[in-house]
């Protein structure tokens, strides 16, 4: 560590980043969830089928994503419904 | 009473063969009759690290296929008379390792009075690596303080807990030991490298030792001498400590803290 670093504080440590990344990925791999992204396409497909029964919906109108926020994993499903006017016209 | 030790890691190039050679030598130096087996069929290297590559006549696969007997294939180590080496085959592929064959060789080694049998695993999680760990009583997981090595170690721990004979029989689990190699206390201090505590916290395996990064490992392999024999080297001392701890002795960790250079060196860069 150089004198400048000592005086002005140091940059974020890469070892800390490494530890956080490892804790995340290893916890995920140990939990036995077989590669979470694996089921996302199928989930999206089935959601489209279910929702289409009630509302006309396009494949691109459904977005499924998995995010890590702090200690939680958030499954985000975003469905954009068509405008009512258009729907009535169908 | 005889124990089978697997030295494994998942990832390649982390120091499995260096560790196998030094742990086996260390146990033999302590007076235990020891054998070390190279399971890396097709890519044998233990013979080079042990310095016996010119004395290889028969190998593990020859013994498994009954083309040679075990006494013909075992090579006496030049440093320790209590140590023998069983080289891997260089020409066959790993499928030649059958579970029955490996078991027969290990049982015969035990009947010959070997107190420790060290199995040097190939990298990966394929057949060869599984065969090396199948009959283990003890497992030494060699890990570098680096993301890919830590993740692969976790993976091989899972395989150990699923595919070893002990796990399959549902008895006592294999005793796991973590050995961290290529450790640089300075880089840890500078926040550039995972500390041994970090690695242990992530993997949750009891720590057997920390081997510092050192030039003497290359010097040793250049000469075909297990690094534990290198006089005045930190690595040799760290391996001796590791063997002591493996045998249940109390040996405090050494070479894990960085000795700061003096103030002048710090001011002018060192």
């Amino acid at each position: 560590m150089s004198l400048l670093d000592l005086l002005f504080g140091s940059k974020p440590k890469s070892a800390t980043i490494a530890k956080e990344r490892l804790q995340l990925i290893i916890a995920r791999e140990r939990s036995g969830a077989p590669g979470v992204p694996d089921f996302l396409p199928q989930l999206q497909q089935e959601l489209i089928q279910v929702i289409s029964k009630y509302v006309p919906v396009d494949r691109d109108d459904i977005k499924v994503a998995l995010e890590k926020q702090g200690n939680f994993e958030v499954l985000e499903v975003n469905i954009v419904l068509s405008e009512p006017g258009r729907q009535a016209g169908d | 009473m005889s124990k089978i030790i697997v030295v494994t890691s998942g990832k390649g190039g982390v120091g499995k063969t260096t560790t196998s050679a030094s742990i086996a030598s260390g146990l033999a130096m302590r007076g235990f009759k020891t054998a070390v087996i190279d399971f890396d069929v097709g890519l044998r290297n233990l013979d080079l690290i042990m310095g016996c590559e010119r004395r290889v006549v028969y190998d593990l696969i020859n013994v498994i296929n009954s083309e040679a007997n075990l006494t013909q294939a075992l090579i006496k180590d030049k440093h320790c008379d209590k140590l023998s080496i069983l080289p891997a085959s260089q020409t066959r592929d790993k499928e030649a390792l059958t579970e029955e064959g490996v078991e027969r060789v290990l049982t015969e080694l035990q009947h010959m009075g070997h107190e420790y049998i060290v199995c040097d695993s190939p990298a990966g999680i394929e057949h060869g690596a599984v065969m090396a760990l199948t009959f283990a009583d003890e497992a030494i997981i060699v890990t570098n303080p680096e993301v890919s090595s830590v993740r692969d170690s976790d993976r091989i721990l899972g395989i150990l807990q699923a595919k070893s004979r002990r796990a399959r029989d549902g008895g006592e689990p294999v005793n796991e030991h973590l050995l961290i190699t290529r450790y640089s206390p300075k880089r840890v201090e500078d926040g550039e490298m995972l500390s041994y505590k970090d690695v242990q916290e992530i993997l949750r395996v009891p720590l057997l030792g920390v081997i510092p990064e050192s030039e003497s490992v290359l010097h040793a392999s250049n000469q075909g001498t297990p690094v534990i024999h290198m006089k005045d080297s930190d690595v040799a001392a760290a391996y001796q400590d590791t063997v002591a701890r493996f045998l249940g002795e109390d040996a405090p960790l050494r070479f894990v803290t960085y000795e700061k250079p003096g103030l002048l060196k710090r001011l002018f860069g060192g």
Side-chain angles (χ1 to χ4, degrees):
Chain A
M1 200 179 282
S2 77
L3 187 61
L4 277 176
D5 282 346
L6 282 174
L7 286 176
F8 299 109
S10 43
K11 295 167 238 158
K13 303 294 188 198
S14 64
T16 315
I17 303 170
K19 187 181 180 186
E20 287 168 7
R21 291 175 60 217
L22 274 169
Q23 281 173 325
L24 263 176
I25 189 69
I26 284 180
R28 177 174 292 184
E29 284 171 351
R30 272 186 195 157
S31 73
V36 178
D38 280 7
F39 71 72
L40 289 184
Q42 201 185 345
L43 177 69
Q44 184 171 12
Q45 193 63 43
E46 289 179 20
L47 279 172
I48 291 167
Q49 286 171 10
V50 172
I51 294 167
S52 307
K53 281 187 187 174
Y54 307 96
V55 206
V57 67
D58 207 51
R59 193 188 161 78
D60 297 333
D61 293 337
I62 296 188
K63 298 238 161 50
V64 181
L66 196 80
E67 273 180 33
K68 183 91 189 172
Q69 292 182 357
N71 289 326
F72 299 99
E73 286 202 88
V74 177
L75 179 66
E76 193 179 283
V77 181
N78 208 329
I79 306 165
V80 182
L81 295 179
S82 312
E83 291 158 35
R86 250 182 61 201
Q87 199 180 336
D90 280 340
Chain B
M1 187 42 201
S2 145
K3 274 194 174 150
I4 299 172
I5 307 165
V6 63
V7 177
T8 189
S9 70
K11 190 174 185 300
V14 297
K16 280 183 299 296
T17 302
T18 299
T19 296
S20 298
S22 281
I23 300 274
S25 300
L27 289 167
M29 285 153 80
R30 295 295 197 101
F32 296 102
K33 186 169 176 175
T34 305
V36 57
I37 310 176
D38 189 349
F39 274 79
D40 206 346
V41 175
L43 290 169
R44 80 168 169 230
N45 276 320
L46 182 68
D47 55 339
L48 272 178
I49 301 300
M50 300 295 301
C52 66
E53 70 277 8
R54 288 167 57 183
R55 290 189 287 147
V56 175
V57 182
Y58 296 109
D59 56 56
L60 175 61
I61 302 298
N62 291 136
V63 180
I64 286 178
N65 292 344
S66 303
E67 295 154 357
N69 63 44
L70 198 48
T71 40
Q72 288 175 299
L74 282 176
I75 303 170
K76 277 252 163 270
D77 181 52
K78 57 185 178 186
H79 299 280
C80 321
D81 57 351
K82 293 261 185 184
L83 179 61
S84 306
I85 301 127
L86 183 54
S89 170
Q90 188 66 310
T91 48
R92 322 282 179 97
D93 64 56
K94 287 180 166 61
E95 303 310 309
L97 286 172
T98 61
E99 190 168 323
E100 301 72 43
V102 172
E103 185 169 25
R104 188 163 45 79
V105 170
L106 292 172
T107 310
E108 202 177 330
L109 283 169
Q110 290 175 322
H111 287 161
M112 288 167 75
H114 289 96
E115 291 158 283
Y116 288 103
I117 301 166
V118 178
C119 303
D120 181 22
S121 173
I125 53 171
E126 310 296 321
H127 183 70
V130 173
M131 282 301 109
L133 63 75
T134 297
F135 299 97
D137 301 303
E138 312 277 335
I140 298 177
I141 314 295
V142 183
T143 307
N144 291 168
E146 173 271 326
V147 287
S148 50
S149 174
V150 175
R151 183 200 215 173
D152 291 359
S153 291
D154 192 68
R155 188 90 170 83
I156 203 79
L157 280 164
I159 288 167
L160 193 66
Q161 290 154 10
K163 295 197 175 168
S164 64
R165 177 63 69 91
R166 279 187 176 209
R168 277 162 25 200
D169 291 352
E172 278 275 294
V174 177
N175 295 312
E176 298 161 353
H177 310 270
L178 176 63
L179 183 69
I180 297 173
T181 56
R182 310 199 65 166
Y183 195 71
S184 169
K186 180 177 190 312
R187 303 198 73 185
V188 172
E189 169 122 345
D190 289 350
E192 299 172 2
M193 184 182 268
L194 291 163
S195 73
Y196 69 89
K197 287 176 186 155
D198 290 340
V199 178
Q200 197 196 357
E201 190 188 321
I202 293 163
L203 292 176
R204 294 183 222 142
V205 172
L207 185 67
L208 182 66
V210 178
I211 310 295
E213 169 84 75
S214 166
E215 290 169 5
S216 43
V217 175
L218 184 57
H219 287 310
S221 74
N222 285 343
Q223 302 163 40
T225 302
V227 68
I228 197 166
H229 295 300
M230 300 295 277
K231 293 215 160 38
D232 307 318
S233 100
D234 290 357
V235 171
Y239 272 118
Q240 296 280 11
D241 289 355
T242 301
V243 170
R245 278 182 221 111
F246 185 80
L247 295 170
E249 296 166 21
D250 192 27
L253 279 181
R254 291 193 276 171
F255 320 113
V256 292
T257 45
Y258 175 57
E259 304 292 331
K260 287 197 178 74
L263 179 66
L264 277 179
K265 212 175 174 186
R266 258 163 73 191
L267 281 174
F268 296 106

